[in-house]
C-alpha cells in the first residue's frame, strides 16, 4: 500500500519513470486496491477540510484536540505522511500478517465516500499521536532526514498502545477489510491514462 501512495505523491514522475510505473501498475494492481489506498488519503483530506470549515463557525468552535489536529494536518505533506504511517501499521491494525499488500481491499462494492468513512476509526486513533511525527518536518515540510526517525518513534508508541487495546480495530478489520492473497485483474476494464489523455494502463474492476 505504501507503493500505491506514490500514485498520489509523485503523479508526474510515474509517467516518465519506468521503474516507478512498474512498481505501481503491475499484474497485481487492481482498482479495488487503489480505492483502498486512495480512500485513506481522501479521508485525511476530508478531515482537514472539515476542521477548516469548523473554524468559520462561531456556534461550534474547535476543541483543543481538534485545533491540534488542524495544525498538524495543515503542515505541507502531513496527510501523505500520516497515510504512509497508517499503511506501515496495517499488520498491527488488522492483527495479522499481510503477505500480499496488493490484495488489500474493502469488502463489497463500496463508493469512494463509503470507503473513506471506513477509515474513521483508524484516523481517530492515529491523529492524537501526531506529535510523534513533528520531527519529520523541517521549515514546514517533510524532510528526508527526520522522516524515518519520526516514523520509527511513532510506530513504537502505536504498537505499545495496540498491545494495551488489542481489539481497538476489531470492527474495522472484521467489517471493512478483506485480504486477498491472489493478485490479478478480473472483470470490467477501466482505463487509467496520463495527464495528456493517452491511455497508460488498464485496471480491471472486481
Amino acid at each position: 500500500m505504501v507503493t500505491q501512495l506514490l500514485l498520489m505523491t509523485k503523479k508526474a514522475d510515474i509517467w516518465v519513470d519506468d521503474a516507478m510505473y512498474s512498481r505501481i501498475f503491475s499484474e497485481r494492481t487492481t482498482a479495488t486496491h487503489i480505492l483502498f489506498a486512495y480512500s485513506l488519503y481522501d479521508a485525511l483530506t476530508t478531515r482537514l477540510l472539515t476542521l477548516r470549515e469548523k473554524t468559520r463557525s462561531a456556534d461550534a468552535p474547535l476543541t483543543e484536540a481538534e485545533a491540534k489536529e488542524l495544525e498538524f494536518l495543515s503542515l505541507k505533506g502531513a496527510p501523505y505522511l500520516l497515510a504512509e504511517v497508517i499503511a506501515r501499521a496495517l499488520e498491527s491494525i488488522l492483527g495479522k500478517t499481510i503477505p500480499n499488500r496488493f490484495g488489500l481491499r474493502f469488502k463489497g462494492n463500496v463508493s469512494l465516500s463509503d470507503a473513506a468513512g471506513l477509515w474513521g476509526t483508524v484516523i481517530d486513533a492515529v491523529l492524537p499521536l501526531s506529535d510523534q511525527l513533528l520531527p519529520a518536518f523541517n521549515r514546514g515540510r517533510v524532510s528526508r532526514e527526520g522522516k524515518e526517525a519520526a516514523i520509527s518513534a511513532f510506530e513504537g508508541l502505536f504498537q505499545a498502545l495496540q498491545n494495551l487495546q488489542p481489539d481497538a480495530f476489531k470492527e474495522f478489520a472484521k467489517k471493512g477489510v478483506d485480504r486477498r492473497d491472489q493478485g490479478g485483474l478480473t472483470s470490467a476494464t477501466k482505463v487509467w491514462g496520463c495527464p495528456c489523455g493517452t491511455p497508460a494502463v488498464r485496471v480491471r474492476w472486481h
Side-chain angles (χ1 to χ4, degrees):
M1 181 173 164
V2 174
T3 300
Q4 277 63 48
L5 293 174
L6 290 171
L7 184 63
M8 296 171 275
T9 59
K10 297 185 178 181
K11 296 184 287 291
D13 294 341
I14 290 171
W15 311 109
V16 296
D17 188 326
D18 290 341
M20 184 184 297
Y21 182 92
S22 297
R23 286 174 61 194
I24 296 172
F25 295 114
S26 69
E27 62 180 12
R28 297 182 300 167
T29 306
T30 63
T32 49
H33 178 65
I34 291 175
L35 175 66
F36 179 82
Y38 181 75
S39 61
L40 170 56
Y41 171 75
D42 185 72
L44 289 166
T45 54
T46 297
R47 177 69 66 93
L48 172 59
L49 293 175
T50 299
L51 291 171
R52 284 178 175 170
E53 184 64 28
K54 193 172 180 180
T55 62
R56 303 186 182 98
S57 172
D59 298 328
L62 293 179
T63 64
E64 185 176 343
E66 288 173 331
K68 186 177 177 181
E69 289 180 7
L70 177 59
E71 182 179 7
F72 176 78
L73 288 172
S74 297
L75 293 171
K76 186 175 178 63
Y80 295 120
L81 177 62
L82 207 55
E84 180 176 348
V85 166
I86 292 172
R88 292 195 189 190
L90 277 175
E91 287 196 340
S92 177
I93 290 170
L94 299 179
K96 62 182 72 175
T97 59
I98 306 173
N100 173 25
R101 286 179 177 265
F102 281 87
L104 289 170
R105 68 178 182 92
F106 285 113
K107 292 178 180 178
N109 185 24
V110 298
S111 66
L112 175 59
S113 176
D114 289 339
L118 292 172
W119 287 107
T121 302
V122 177
I123 293 172
D124 287 343
V126 168
L127 268 177
L129 308 178
S130 59
D131 276 355
Q132 299 295 315
L133 296 173
L134 290 177
F137 293 86
N138 183 26
R139 297 181 180 178
R141 61 189 304 169
V142 178
S143 69
R144 184 176 300 177
E145 295 76 15
K147 176 182 170 182
E148 288 304 320
I151 289 178
S152 179
F154 180 95
E155 289 175 330
L157 179 57
F158 183 78
Q159 185 59 61
L161 293 175
Q162 266 292 90
N163 292 339
L164 294 174
Q165 295 181 301
D167 295 330
F169 304 111
K170 185 176 181 179
E171 290 304 309
F172 175 79
K174 179 181 176 181
K175 296 181 179 180
V177 181
D178 184 26
R179 191 189 72 213
R180 286 189 172 184
D181 292 340
Q182 295 182 351
L185 307 174
T186 60
S187 70
T189 301
K190 169 72 175 180
V191 176
W192 291 66
C194 74
C196 63
T198 304
V201 65
R202 292 180 180 271
V203 177
R204 297 177 184 255
W205 296 87
H206 281 238

